[in-house]
Amino acid sequence: MLSDYHLHLRPDEVGEAGEYFSQENVDRYLAAAEEHGIEEIGVSEHIYRFTDALAVWDQPYWREQARDDLGAYCEFVASTPLRLGIEADFVRGAEDRLEELLASQPFDYVVGSVHFLGEAGAVDDRRFDVWESIPDPDELWGRYFEWLAAAAGSGLFDILAHPDLIKIWGEDRPRPQRDPRHYYEPAVEAIAASGIAVEVSTAGLRKPVGEIYPAPAFAEMCVEAGAKFALSSDAHAPDQVGFGYDRAVEFLNGLGVERICVFEGRRRRLEPLDGNAELEGAA
Ligand SMILES: [Zn+2]
Ligand SMILES: [Zn+2]
C-alpha cells in the first residue's frame, strides 16, 4: 500500500482556516490520493499556525503565523476520513511544553521537523536565514544534524520529517568539506535508538535541490541501522498529493525496503509497500 501522512490542507502563509478546513477541500485531497493509488492519507498542519503553539515558542515568525485554533482543526479532521496528524517543530529546551501540547489532542501521529535551529535561524526560510548566522557549511551541517538527532531522540515524534532539509537550497549554498555521512552519523544513531520512522519525502524534488529527502547515503545508513520508513509528499495543495511517488517507490525498492509505516492513535504497524501496480501511468 501507499500512504501520505505529511499533507497540509492549508498553503503556507495565505488564506483563512475556513477556506481550507472544509469538506470541499478534503474531497480534493481524497480524489488526488485515489488517483495516485494512495490508500492511507493524513494531514499534518504546521503547529505554528495555531495560537496554542505560542506557549511552546514565542518567536516573531510564529507570532505572525499563529491564527488558527488547534482544537477546531482536530475536531474538523476527526469528522473526515483523514488521519489526524500535526507537523510539530522541534524546539530545543521546550520539550516539556511541546509534549504537553501534543498530548492535548487525539493525534494519530506526530511529524517532527527541524526548520529553525532556535534563535540561529531557519534552514528553509531566507527571511530568517540560518546561513547568515552560521556561514560555515561544516559547522552548520554539524549543528543541523545535531538538532535532528535531538529531535529523533526526544520521543516526542512518530515520524522524522524531511531528514536532510539542510540541503534544500542545492547549489545556491556551499556543501561541507567533510563526507556528509560524518554529519548523518549522530542522527542515524538517535533514529536507531528511538525507533522513530524516517520520512522519505518527495518535497525535495520541488525545491532547488531537486532530490528526495533524505539523500541515498543517509537512507542507506538508516536501513543498516534497522530504521523504518514513512512515505510522504509534504503537499500544500491537492495537485501535490502523491507528487513524485514513482520515484519515491523506486528509491525505497532500491534500498530493499519492503514495508512502510501506517499510524493510528500514535501506534504504528508496517504494511507491505507494493505500489507499483497502482502507480502505472501516474504522473
Ligand atoms: Zn516541514
Ligand atoms: Zn510540511
Side-chain angles (χ1 to χ4, degrees):
M1 81 181 299
L2 295 175
S3 59
D4 198 340
Y5 285 115
H6 190 156
L7 296 173
H8 300 269
L9 288 173
R10 226 165 164 338
D12 281 337
E13 295 174 10
V14 296
E16 296 299 324
E19 293 173 52
Y20 297 101
F21 300 154
S22 67
Q23 194 54 54
E24 294 77 14
N25 198 33
V26 168
D27 287 343
R28 289 184 208 117
Y29 280 75
L30 292 170
E34 199 182 330
E35 192 187 315
H36 289 274
I38 303 168
E39 283 170 55
E40 175 79 16
I41 68 170
V43 285
S44 54
E45 231 46 62
H46 285 293
I47 200 164
Y48 57 74
R49 304 301 294 264
F50 303 103
T51 52
D52 319 62
L54 294 175
V56 176
W57 198 30
D58 192 351
Q59 185 262 4
Y61 182 67
W62 283 34
R63 219 173 300 135
E64 174 199 309
Q65 293 291 310
R67 295 280 177 271
D68 301 351
D69 180 76
L70 183 62
Y73 158 72
C74 294
E75 222 170 278
F76 170 70
V77 175
S79 75
T80 72
L82 302 168
R83 291 272 177 240
L84 174 60
I86 187 135
E87 178 176 10
D89 290 63
F90 178 60
V91 183
R92 237 170 161 174
E95 289 87 345
D96 292 353
R97 299 197 295 276
L98 184 54
E99 185 177 18
E100 203 179 307
L101 181 57
L102 295 174
S104 72
Q105 299 293 338
F107 294 115
D108 286 309
Y109 60 92
V110 176
V111 178
S113 295
V114 176
H115 301 117
F116 276 87
L117 307 185
E119 305 298 335
V123 300
D124 63 339
D125 189 334
R126 291 185 198 263
R127 292 165 297 180
F128 301 89
D129 199 355
V130 73
W131 287 89
E132 279 173 25
S133 55
I134 313 176
D136 177 70
D138 285 275
E139 191 187 337
L140 181 54
W141 277 54
R143 190 88 71 88
Y144 169 78
F145 284 103
E146 191 194 298
W147 271 70
L148 192 74
S154 68
L156 292 166
F157 313 118
D158 304 298
I159 301 172
L160 191 60
H162 36 62
D164 58 350
L165 184 66
I166 189 71
K167 73 179 178 187
I168 184 171
W169 304 118
E171 288 176 1
D172 286 359
R173 299 292 155 91
R175 295 278 292 189
Q177 298 278 318
R178 292 190 78 152
D179 184 329
R181 280 173 286 206
H182 166 77
Y183 300 108
Y184 302 155
E185 190 66 54
V188 174
E189 269 174 34
I191 287 163
S194 66
I196 192 171
V198 177
E199 181 180 76
V200 169
S201 168
T202 60
L205 296 169
R206 305 193 299 266
K207 303 293 179 181
V209 67
E211 286 174 17
I212 283 174
Y213 303 116
F218 186 111
E220 281 159 19
M221 287 166 71
C222 291
V223 170
E224 276 165 33
K228 305 294 181 244
F229 294 86
L231 185 55
S232 82
S233 64
D234 203 349
H236 285 67
D239 63 1
Q240 293 173 342
V241 175
F243 173 84
Y245 260 38
D246 45 353
R247 289 180 63 181
V249 169
E250 206 177 294
F251 184 85
L252 287 164
N253 286 338
L255 292 165
V257 174
E258 290 173 348
R259 297 186 303 162
I260 52 166
C261 298
V262 175
F263 296 88
E264 189 176 355
R266 302 210 64 182
R267 299 220 318 233
R268 85 168 183 216
R269 57 176 208 279
L270 289 157
E271 289 280 343
L273 170 73
D274 190 21
N276 294 320
E278 290 94 331
L279 274 168
E280 271 174 13

